[in-house]
Amino acid sequence: MEEKRQFLCGVVEGFYGRPWSMDQRKVLFQWMQHWGLNTYLYGPKDDLKHRLLWREVYSPEEEGQLRTLIVEAQSRGLRFVYALSPGQDIVFSSSCDLTLLKRKLRQVSDLGCQAFAILFDDIDHSMCQADSEAFSSFAHAQVTVTNEIYRFLGEPPVFLFCPTEYCGSLCSPSVSKSPYLQTVGEDLLPSITVIWTGSKVISRKLSVDCLAEVESVLQRPPLIWDNLHANDYDSRRLFLGPFKGRDPQLKSHLRGLLLNPNCEFEANYIPLHTLGSWYRAGNEDRKDEECEYSPDRALATALRDWMEELNQPLQAGRQSTRADQRSSAPASHGKTPDTPSCPSTFRGTSAVAKLPVFPLNSSSPPPSPTKVKVERVEGEKKRSIQPSQPNHQLPGSRPGAPSGGNRGQKAQGRGLCGGKGLLSESQVQLLVGLHYLPHEHGPSAQKLLQELTWLKTNCHLVSANNKKAPPQKVDEWHGRASRFLSLCEDIAQLHCSVVGGANRAVLYDLYPYVWDLRNTALVAKAFICWLDGRVFSDSSTLGSWRNCFHWCGKTTGADLLGVESEPWVFKGGVSGEVQMLLPVGSSSELFTHPPPLFPTSRLYNIRPYHSKDKVELYRMVRQLHLRTQGGQESSAAHPDVIGDRCLGPCLALCPEYCFILEDELGVCGCVLGILDVRSFAKRCQASWMPAMRDKYPSKGSNTHPNTQDLIQLMEEDQGEYPDSLLYHFPSQLRLDALPELVDISVSRTLLTALLTALKANGSQGVFCEVQPTDRQRLEFLTKLGFLEILRGEARSREGVVLGRLL
């Protein structure tokens, strides 16, 4: 009886995606014991023999692992609950299926398990003909089988039942009037506990009133399967915030509460730490604890403890786990909710591996994280003296090009970020604030979104054609812009510190998220820098982008959806909201892409072009040209001729649409844009080409023969494009970068920054001409939504024109 009365509080491993490893679960049990939690429910949706192949018994090897897990949990004073999900294809009236169900649970019982759960979540309500003839309703069928299994197992003290209607929003027509729940309440044996998630699949708050209603219908206090920190429904979201929105007084109305946390094991330190604080709050036998639970106080305590964990080298057991776990992981895929969610919150059935640590074709991982780190850092250092492997080249760059002459120098104001170091307390607070809770952003995320919203809404103060703005308002804009840029730099530094940290387990679980937000912040930072003096105000006929996204400027995702909406309706979390505040925010293919196989701590920055960059850019494209073209060096007499052809017109006539990519060593790439190709071509003929003819005269002793060939190509570059093309795609872009980039994803980010600027000033479409043999660049642009619109028609020479609507 004592065991039946104990409040069950702990963890449910019930998400979709790669299950935790045995070593991770052992660490989990250590945490739970230390924090006073008492129950672990085993029910990972992607364990085939838990759900899809529930009829199959475990092999001798699997039996051994499960027995070890059960013994480990019991040795820590934890209750191990084994869950089975037969609902997808069970025939309730089939004696054969019932026998197989009993066989499976008897096998687990013989391994020492004394607590069980039968889950009927995420399944179709319809029954087969045989079941329809045997049972009066779907609920009747489930209850009948559950009662028989419960008796077969000897009426264990802990036996859980998850209904198909497991939250208020799934009940028809309502909780109190649901025939399904009424049948469960009346016919399910009273000692069986019913699982419930609250008013929603992911409930922002749990109230006494709502629980009293469901308790009345079920005729027993429910057990909460809490999805507050579950993230298996959105590949861009992670929840590091405290356990919140559940008053400890709810315990008197519940049988228990089990938290279904993040898929990424290492992300669950704070959620479970604070859950332990919540559980202990108010316990009569814990006079040393605070009587009332405070999420903020619990978070502060958990942060202090997590700091020690974050800055500890990875322990041997967890180290080997991560290597084995991810070396064969599939490439990252997005997770799309397309079927009704179960308590796990993910609404599909595909496994998701966020970040493979080693190359996908690697049969075995390197022997230690230290070696991986050394190899990675050395690979980055080599960039200034030799090119990287072809698969690390930036699309559009040219193989084998050496680095620029002063590439070894640090970029001004930026330092190297390499080697293992300690995450500071402010960085951990920033990390948690950016990945807080599904219905609530942390302080740093709120600040980021508020500043970006205000700067965007008031960008007319610094627009290119607004000379009447009050000086104090302009100063305010610049001050807030400075704070926003500083926060973006903190995010970039956080990414660097996570990669360079000592705890590699934390790195590989958190890296996809800090990397994604780093890239989004790079675009946002470049955009805010670009707005100052470059964006057109509303008086311009082109300045219409803000009208298309006016709702983003006034609300956050949670406000937009309302507190009653499920968080998966608005994708992307903080990254998604920053993205939607940008002019091209609806183009998700520009922002969602897999992280690199090898994490890199290199710091990148994207910013508008300055005139001082011209020398370095000219040197960069000259080297790229010479390495790919070979032959005689025509630039010996005229070192600027390649730069003048490739970059010169844009840098001279529309520098406001040129963006620079730089890292700690200096400039490493650029993207150039032309807002209106028609007017640009006229300006080239009127001013640029005459200047080039004067600079490179046709006669003279210093004129190299190949120079005139290049000048002729300059003339051809100004050839006309068809009106049918320019009507839909009035803008043009050119992408160049050095091939030694370690993280090739920054090329996407660089291009996105330009598309954001073009869209902001009214462009409806952009095109890029590519040679048919440049397959790498063709593939790169295609992945970003560019489609082939012309081939061999735009110029006298062969070329493929790819276009993209904005």
Side-chain angles (χ1 to χ4, degrees):
M1 291 300 295
E2 176 63 28
E3 195 171 15
K4 288 187 177 182
R5 286 196 299 267
Q6 183 185 23
F7 185 87
L8 307 179
C9 190
V11 179
V12 51
E13 183 182 346
F15 49 80
Y16 287 93
R18 181 179 292 274
W20 293 333
S21 70
M22 292 292 289
D23 286 338
Q24 286 174 325
R25 291 171 182 139
K26 291 179 181 179
V27 173
L28 171 68
F29 296 163
Q30 295 175 17
W31 288 353
M32 293 176 66
Q33 180 187 33
H34 184 65
W35 298 329
L37 303 174
N38 58 45
T39 303
Y40 165 78
L41 188 149
Y42 176 88
K45 293 298 187 290
D46 285 355
D47 174 352
L48 295 180
K49 292 185 179 180
H50 160 77
R51 188 174 179 88
L52 186 62
L53 304 178
W54 63 268
R55 294 177 178 86
E56 297 186 12
V57 295
Y58 289 107
S59 67
E61 180 182 359
E62 292 167 336
E63 274 190 337
Q65 290 182 332
L66 196 54
R67 181 186 291 109
T68 299
L69 204 60
I70 293 171
V71 171
E72 179 71 19
Q74 293 172 348
S75 70
R76 298 281 181 183
L78 307 176
R79 181 179 287 100
F80 185 98
V81 182
Y82 177 81
L84 200 63
S85 297
Q88 284 189 318
D89 61 356
I90 188 174
V91 178
F92 294 97
S93 58
S94 168
S95 60
C96 179
D97 270 3
L98 191 59
T99 299
L100 293 174
L101 186 58
K102 292 177 179 178
R103 181 184 68 164
K104 181 66 166 284
L105 293 175
R106 172 59 69 189
Q107 180 190 29
V108 178
S109 177
D110 291 343
L111 298 178
C113 183
Q114 301 173 3
F116 300 88
I118 298 292
L119 312 180
F120 292 110
D121 53 300
D122 248 13
I123 60 175
D124 193 347
H125 278 73
S126 62
M127 293 189 292
C128 66
Q129 184 175 352
D131 287 346
S132 298
E133 295 173 355
F135 303 105
S136 60
S137 68
F138 193 47
H140 181 213
Q142 292 180 354
V143 166
T144 300
V145 168
T146 302
N147 287 340
E148 181 166 348
I149 294 298
Y150 176 65
R151 294 190 182 100
F152 169 76
L153 292 172
E155 300 188 2
V158 174
F159 193 90
L160 312 179
F161 166 84
C162 182
T164 305
E165 294 182 4
Y166 55 79
C167 68
S169 62
L170 294 180
C171 294
S172 179
S174 65
V175 173
S176 60
K177 298 179 180 180
S178 166
Y180 176 92
L181 289 186
Q182 290 172 358
T183 300
V184 171
E186 294 170 0
D187 297 344
L188 192 68
L189 291 174
S191 296
I192 299 176
T193 299
V194 180
I195 291 172
W196 188 251
T197 67
S199 59
K200 297 288 181 180
V201 176
I202 305 171
S203 299
R204 181 169 186 160
K205 293 184 178 180
L206 296 175
S207 68
V208 173
D209 292 341
C210 291
L211 291 177
E213 181 183 28
V214 71
E215 181 180 0
S216 175
V217 177
L218 296 177
Q219 302 181 29
R220 71 203 75 199
L223 177 141
I224 294 296
W225 174 309
D226 201 331
N227 290 314
L228 182 64
H229 291 85
N231 71 329
D232 54 1
Y233 55 88
D234 192 338
S235 61
R236 300 179 72 187
R237 303 197 73 179
L238 191 73
F239 303 116
L240 305 177
F243 189 70
K244 190 174 183 180
R246 289 93 172 101
D247 194 297
Q249 302 305 319
L250 293 175
K251 287 185 283 189
S252 60
H253 299 270
L254 297 173
R255 176 69 176 89
L257 185 148
L258 302 179
L259 185 63
N260 181 33
N262 297 279
C263 301
E264 293 75 17
F265 176 76
E266 300 293 342
N268 294 314
Y269 190 94
I270 289 176
L272 299 183
H273 191 294
T274 54
L275 173 65
S277 299
W278 176 87
Y279 176 54
R280 297 190 303 271
N283 287 359
E284 294 181 0
D285 57 340
R286 296 299 298 271
K287 298 298 184 181
D288 58 318
E289 297 287 337
E290 293 282 352
C291 293
E292 296 183 1
Y293 175 74
S294 166
D296 292 339
R297 186 166 57 240
L299 174 60
T301 302
L303 273 173
R304 287 195 297 269
D305 292 346
W306 199 34
M307 284 287 296
E308 298 181 9
E309 181 91 1
L310 287 173
N311 292 319
Q312 292 295 323
L314 182 64
Q315 299 175 8
R318 289 157 78 184
Q319 167 188 326
S320 60
T321 293
R322 267 157 193 79
D324 295 338
Q325 178 178 339
R326 291 179 174 82
S327 61
S328 59
S332 176
H333 296 286
K335 298 174 287 184
T336 305
D338 47 24
T339 60
S341 178
C342 73
S344 74
T345 74
F346 180 53
R347 308 170 70 178
T349 57
S350 60
V352 176
K354 298 291 179 59
L355 177 67
V357 175
F358 307 109
L360 298 181
N361 59 0
S362 172
S363 58
S364 61
S368 72
T370 302
K371 183 176 181 181
V372 174
K373 176 66 178 179
V374 170
E375 290 176 349
R376 179 179 58 77
V377 173
E378 287 179 350
E380 289 182 1
K381 291 179 179 178
K382 290 177 183 177
R383 189 162 74 80
S384 61
I385 58 176
Q386 69 179 39
S388 65
Q389 296 300 316
N391 63 334
H392 284 165
Q393 291 176 8
L394 179 67
S397 63
R398 293 164 180 139
S403 58
N406 62 350
R407 290 279 299 145
Q409 299 177 6
K410 295 181 181 180
Q412 185 175 359
R414 302 174 63 82
L416 290 170
C417 185
K420 290 178 181 156
L422 300 181
L423 280 164
S424 67
E425 182 177 354
S426 62
Q427 285 183 319
V428 178
Q429 290 174 342
L430 175 63
L431 176 67
V432 173
L434 292 170
H435 305 89
Y436 200 64
L437 291 172
H439 302 94
E440 179 184 358
H441 292 313
S444 50
Q446 292 179 29
K447 179 181 177 182
L448 184 76
L449 293 169
Q450 289 169 359
E451 294 292 359
L452 179 57
T453 300
W454 189 92
L455 291 168
K456 169 194 158 183
T457 304
N458 294 278
C459 66
H460 61 279
L461 297 171
V462 292
S463 63
N465 52 345
N466 184 2
K467 307 301 182 183
K468 300 180 180 179
Q472 64 272 22
K473 285 292 185 180
V474 175
D475 291 342
E476 180 184 5
W477 195 96
H478 286 142
R480 298 185 71 156
S482 178
R483 291 192 292 272
F484 177 81
L485 299 181
S486 177
L487 183 53
C488 290
E489 290 173 357
D490 290 342
I491 292 173
Q493 187 65 46
L494 171 65
H495 168 271
C496 168
S497 296
V498 169
V499 174
N503 191 323
R504 314 311 285 165
V506 171
L507 161 65
Y508 291 129
D509 273 356
L510 302 192
Y511 179 68
Y513 301 96
V514 295
W515 172 86
D516 177 40
L517 188 55
R518 186 280 307 260
N519 284 354
T520 305
L522 279 178
V523 178
K525 179 185 176 186
F527 179 59
I528 292 302
C529 289
W530 176 85
L531 282 177
D532 190 4
R534 298 175 180 89
V535 69
F536 297 150
S537 69
D538 286 340
S539 60
S540 168
T541 56
L542 295 177
S544 59
W545 64 277
R546 283 185 295 135
N547 295 327
C548 300
F549 297 90
H550 65 280
W551 59 269
C552 294
K554 300 177 182 177
T555 59
T556 63
D559 296 330
L560 184 68
L561 298 172
V563 296
E564 295 303 319
S565 298
E566 296 285 10
W568 60 68
V569 178
F570 189 90
K571 287 285 191 178
V574 176
S575 293
E577 292 196 39
V578 171
Q579 170 187 330
M580 290 305 295
L581 283 167
L582 301 174
V584 293
S586 59
S587 302
S588 58
E589 69 275 8
L590 297 175
F591 295 89
T592 55
H593 39 90
L597 294 181
F598 292 92
T600 170
S601 62
R602 188 163 294 281
L603 273 172
Y604 291 103
N605 184 42
I606 297 173
R607 58 172 174 80
Y609 164 81
H610 301 303
S611 58
K612 63 182 180 182
D613 300 316
K614 180 178 177 180
V615 173
E616 184 62 28
L617 291 180
Y618 269 39
R619 181 183 294 111
M620 181 181 71
V621 296
R622 173 173 170 265
Q623 291 171 341
L624 292 174
H625 174 81
L626 292 177
R627 182 57 63 97
T628 54
Q629 299 298 322
Q632 204 168 14
E633 186 173 357
S634 62
S635 55
H638 298 286
D640 291 345
V641 70
I642 305 299
D644 281 338
R645 183 201 169 192
C646 298
L647 309 178
C650 291
L651 298 183
L653 302 179
C654 52
E656 65 273 21
Y657 299 106
C658 301
F659 286 87
I660 299 298
L661 174 66
E662 60 184 355
D663 61 11
E664 300 100 325
L665 302 178
V667 175
C668 56
C670 68
V671 63
L672 313 178
I674 301 169
L675 181 64
D676 186 340
V677 172
R678 283 195 182 97
S679 63
F680 177 81
K682 294 178 181 178
R683 294 169 63 196
C684 276
Q685 292 299 331
S687 60
W688 179 254
M689 290 312 302
M692 291 298 98
R693 295 187 192 101
D694 291 342
K695 186 174 182 178
Y696 306 109
S698 58
K699 297 180 181 180
S701 57
N702 293 329
T703 302
H704 193 283
N706 288 343
T707 298
Q708 286 306 304
D709 295 338
L710 290 169
I711 293 177
Q712 183 178 356
L713 290 176
M714 288 185 193
E715 296 279 2
E716 294 177 2
D717 287 339
Q718 309 309 317
E720 294 185 359
Y721 288 95
D723 289 339
S724 58
L725 168 67
L726 298 180
Y727 179 81
H728 296 287
F729 307 96
S731 303
Q732 187 178 9
L733 67 86
R734 177 188 176 91
L735 179 67
D736 283 291
L738 290 178
E740 298 88 356
L741 292 177
V742 178
D743 184 354
I744 63 173
S745 68
V746 294
S747 59
R748 292 172 178 257
T749 307
L750 176 63
L751 184 59
T752 301
L754 171 62
L755 298 182
T756 299
L758 293 173
K759 174 69 174 178
N761 273 348
S763 176
Q764 301 301 312
V766 61
F767 70 91
C768 180
E769 187 173 6
V770 184
Q771 293 302 310
T773 55
D774 194 348
R775 296 184 180 275
Q776 191 177 26
R777 185 180 298 211
L778 286 170
E779 181 181 358
F780 168 69
L781 292 172
T782 300
K783 288 181 179 179
L784 293 181
F786 283 79
L787 301 175
E788 182 179 328
I789 52 180
L790 283 177
R791 180 181 287 267
E793 298 178 17
R795 302 295 174 93
S796 57
R797 63 183 185 278
E798 287 294 320
V800 178
V801 178
L802 303 177
R804 188 189 193 286
L805 295 176
L806 297 178

